[in-house]
Amino acid sequence: MKINPFHSSGMNPYQNQTEKQRQVERTSVTRRDEVQISTQAKELQKTNNFQNERADKIERLKNQVQNGTYKVDAHKVASSLVDYYKKFSKGE
């Protein structure tokens, strides 16, 4: 008795799966991860002028305190405190 295959394309279905796996392996070996940094991020990575200016200001203030030449403007401090508490009381 002879049995004819029903809807057989003459291909092994498992062979298709193994071929797909081989293709994935090939592409994963040749494909590499890439990182792209935006121009904004590059600008942020550069030395920040604000940090340099702040470091200079701190150094000047340290020297003034050590030399005894540091002067506090009491009116300016009081004004800042009043402004702060006005904002605080408004819930900002």
Side-chain angles (χ1 to χ4, degrees), residues 19 21-31:
E19 184 60 32
Q21 288 176 346
R22 286 185 194 136
Q23 287 176 354
V24 168
E25 289 172 0
R26 286 183 204 135
T27 57
S28 66
V29 170
T30 58
R31 188 174 178 190

Side-chain angles (χ1 to χ4, degrees), residues 12-25:
N12 184 349
Y14 297 107
Q15 186 177 12
N16 290 339
Q17 182 65 25
T18 56
E19 184 60 32
K20 287 180 186 178
Q21 288 176 346
R22 286 185 194 136
Q23 287 176 354
V24 168
E25 289 172 0

Side-chain angles (χ1 to χ4, degrees), residues 44-60:
L44 291 174
Q45 288 178 341
K46 291 181 180 177
T47 305
N48 193 347
N49 288 338
F50 174 75
Q51 291 174 344
N52 292 337
E53 291 172 5
R54 183 169 174 83
D56 291 341
K57 183 176 181 177
I58 290 171
E59 190 62 36
R60 283 194 311 269

